[in-house]
Amino acid sequence: MMQSTAAVAHAPAGAVSTCLAAFGEWLRRHSRVVARVQWIVVVAYAVLIGVPAFLPLPPDEARWFNNLTVFAQWAFWGVWWPFVIVSMFVVGRAWCGLFCPEGTLTEAASRVGLGRGVPRWLKWGGWPFVAFTLTTIFGQLVSVYQYPAATLLVLGGSTVAAIGVGLVYGRGKRVWCRHLCPVNGVFAVLSRTAPLHFRVDAAAWTANAGRIPIHPVNCAPLVRIRRMTGPSECHMCGRCSGLRGAIALEARSPSVEIATLPPSLARGWDAALIVFGMIGLAVGAFEWSTLRAFGELRAFAVAHIVDQGPAWLLADNAPWWLLTHYPEAHDVFTWLDGALIVAWIVATALIVGGWVSAWLAAAARSIGGAWRANAYALAYTLIPLAGVGLFVGLSGLPAALAHSEGLRLSWLAPARAVLLAAAAAWSMYLAYRWVDGRSRRGEEERLSPSRRIAALLAMTIANAGVLAAWYPYVFR
Ligand code: SF4
């Protein structure tokens, strides 16, 4: 009780602050309730991911209320995945800490596993980018959104890997979530815009050393709590709430962390994930199947191969766990299809990501100083546009499902356009605040108005390029 009172005392005045701090304390005190909810989610996840994979494909007239496979499709891809992305903008990584079945399972496995230390190779900063890239491309090859066997393969495979990592590394920790989860990097960058976080009051931490008894805290995602400055790595589990009377759930401006990010703290791998992964790769992955140009390229390639060979490229004998293979649904990929899909997605990522990178570099050079670090920091200003782009892309499957339910969605394209435009405006506001703050901090020299305008113009062109890349998907 002593700690909880102290935590509330350090929160800013106001009913909202008091309620937030109290809720953080509630999370800490009711860890058993949280654990029960987590295991209920695990059971629901296991049923929805496992059972449909062994059922026949649903007939055309199947609906969510009379067919488990269609219900699971809605649950995973219509509701869960798009709205987990949205939740990062609102409550940070609360999904990870309070609900995620993989987090629950890997932590449970880690309690009874070998308890080994985390090796260096697992801490490599590029894993979030590599894991997201490979999972996104593989998901397209096996049609993860369409078929329950593919869903079991991708999500179930990830879950098995999470349990395996838990059984080997850490003691009651979430080593998988911290280093290898395919969406860890995406969630980490999106939650930088979260208006809620567990704030560490450094002065109170120091002042209360030895005065307030410390309750033992198991921070499962291995956050260095004392040095925590934002919700990027924190899973919002609340276990450290009130620690030393210095930690409380608090509100903040959703723009403050990115607008004030020092270039020295900007990470190159985060910038790559935002620019080439969440923007470039996502555009390619969501758009290829909707574009006439892809169909024309495929027809051209088929005609060429029929004339010149090699004929095996047109064979459709790949197993379902490598390329989509559902003859009963008249949906079968040839080896050529697989190669074209990978090439299309990678080329789109390079073109769109390359465009954005070039203008980030131009903006950073306008600012002067360490241009590479500045470019990395400016990449974070694109997080709203990258995150909303993911949401818009993911809205494709629920839209298709709703269409099959007989719903007409004439408002969908304008709604997507408005969302992307609003996100681009937020990204530009962040860029303005970041450049303005850098100018006022004046680390090297005060920025002249012309250099500031040049930097913001370059950022405008970068944002416009992303909007243009999403145009065909929005108005298909
Ligand atoms: S820092 Fe760790 S213990 Fe504290 S809320 Fe975040 S995840 Fe939980």
Side-chain angles (χ1 to χ4, degrees):
M1 278 308 293
M2 194 173 168
Q3 291 162 35
S4 68
T5 310
V8 174
H10 283 287
V16 173
S17 301
T18 306
C19 287
L20 285 175
F23 183 65
E25 284 295 291
W26 185 93
L27 283 175
R28 178 174 69 80
R29 284 202 221 100
H30 294 81
S31 55
R32 286 195 181 166
V33 176
V34 172
R36 267 185 220 126
V37 171
Q38 288 173 324
W39 284 105
I40 290 170
V41 174
V42 168
V43 172
Y45 173 76
V47 170
L48 291 179
I49 201 179
V51 176
F54 299 97
L55 298 175
L57 289 177
D60 286 346
E61 62 277 11
R63 297 290 177 265
W64 65 271
F65 51 82
N66 62 15
N67 186 286
L68 183 66
T69 302
V70 180
F71 178 80
Q73 250 188 329
W74 265 108
F76 280 122
W77 309 121
V79 179
W80 165 70
W81 195 200
F83 287 97
V84 165
I85 296 288
V86 172
S87 78
M88 297 296 148
F89 286 114
V90 183
V91 288
R93 302 183 65 170
W95 161 261
C96 303
L98 303 178
F99 303 108
C100 177
E102 281 191 6
T104 305
L105 288 167
T106 196
E107 187 179 339
S110 170
R111 272 189 227 113
V112 298
L114 300 175
R116 289 193 185 152
V118 184
R120 246 178 96 184
W121 66 266
L122 247 168
K123 297 179 183 172
W124 180 52
W127 283 126
F129 176 77
V130 172
F132 176 75
T133 301
L134 294 180
T135 309
T136 302
I137 293 176
F138 184 62
Q140 292 299 306
L141 292 178
V142 296
S143 299
V144 66
Y145 300 134
Q146 281 79 27
Y147 298 105
T151 303
L152 177 62
L153 178 68
V154 175
L155 295 186
S158 172
T159 304
V160 169
I163 295 171
V165 168
L167 285 172
V168 178
Y169 301 112
R171 178 66 70 202
K173 301 297 182 195
R174 298 184 174 203
V175 175
W176 167 263
C177 310
R178 176 63 193 256
H179 296 293
L180 293 177
C181 169
V183 283
N184 166 45
V186 173
F187 291 171
V189 296
L190 289 181
S191 61
R192 286 178 183 269
T193 62
L196 299 180
H197 72 141
F198 279 93
R199 188 174 83 84
V200 181
D201 183 334
W205 182 281
T206 306
N208 291 333
R211 290 204 298 127
I212 295 181
I214 299 178
H215 57 265
V217 172
N218 173 28
C219 178
L222 299 151
V223 178
R224 284 194 256 175
I225 297 175
R226 164 70 181 83
R227 296 185 193 163
M228 181 167 62
T229 55
S232 180
E233 292 164 347
C234 168
H235 285 197
M236 304 289 280
C237 69
R239 294 176 194 174
C240 65
S241 179
L243 188 64
R244 279 201 188 183
I247 300 178
L249 183 62
E250 287 189 9
R252 63 173 192 168
S253 158
S255 300
V256 67
E257 184 172 338
I258 296 169
T260 59
L261 183 73
S264 57
L265 296 184
R267 300 178 195 150
W269 280 116
D270 278 354
L273 179 65
I274 295 164
V275 172
F276 288 95
M278 294 165 66
I279 294 176
L281 200 78
V283 171
F286 287 118
E287 275 189 356
W288 69 266
S289 60
T290 69
L291 294 180
R292 184 179 299 169
F294 182 84
E296 289 169 354
L297 175 67
R298 183 182 183 280
F300 173 81
V302 168
H304 180 81
I305 290 167
V306 166
D307 286 344
Q308 314 274 340
W312 64 266
L313 274 172
L314 299 181
D316 59 5
N317 56 353
W320 67 270
W321 44 265
L322 197 57
L323 290 176
T324 299
H325 191 89
Y326 301 92
E328 64 275 38
H330 310 290
D331 194 3
V332 176
F333 286 0
T334 63
W335 295 99
L336 174 70
D337 292 326
L340 285 178
I341 290 167
V342 174
W344 188 277
I345 294 174
V346 171
T348 306
L350 292 176
I351 293 168
V352 177
W355 171 273
V356 174
S357 300
W359 290 105
L360 282 174
R365 285 198 180 275
S366 306
I367 293 166
W371 74 269
R372 196 183 295 269
N374 286 340
Y376 291 163
L378 281 167
Y380 287 77
T381 68
L382 296 166
I383 289 173
L385 187 52
V388 170
L390 284 180
F391 178 77
V392 164
L394 290 167
S395 68
L397 189 74
L401 289 168
H403 192 74
S404 67
E405 302 281 345
L407 297 173
R408 292 181 60 80
L409 303 176
S410 53
W411 49 267
L412 187 63
R416 284 170 165 171
V418 167
L419 270 178
L420 283 168
W426 185 5
S427 284
M428 279 309 301
Y429 171 71
L430 290 176
Y432 166 78
R433 286 271 313 272
W434 191 88
V435 171
D436 190 51
R438 183 145 180 82
S439 177
R440 280 192 281 105
R441 283 195 298 276
E443 282 90 345
E444 285 90 23
E445 56 178 288
R446 286 189 71 80
L447 288 184
S448 65
S450 60
R451 291 172 73 180
R452 290 168 68 173
I453 290 170
L456 291 174
L457 186 62
M459 290 304 296
T460 305
I461 298 173
N463 276 274
V466 179
L467 291 178
W470 277 113
Y471 181 88
Y473 185 81
V474 170
F475 294 105
R476 64 181 170 169

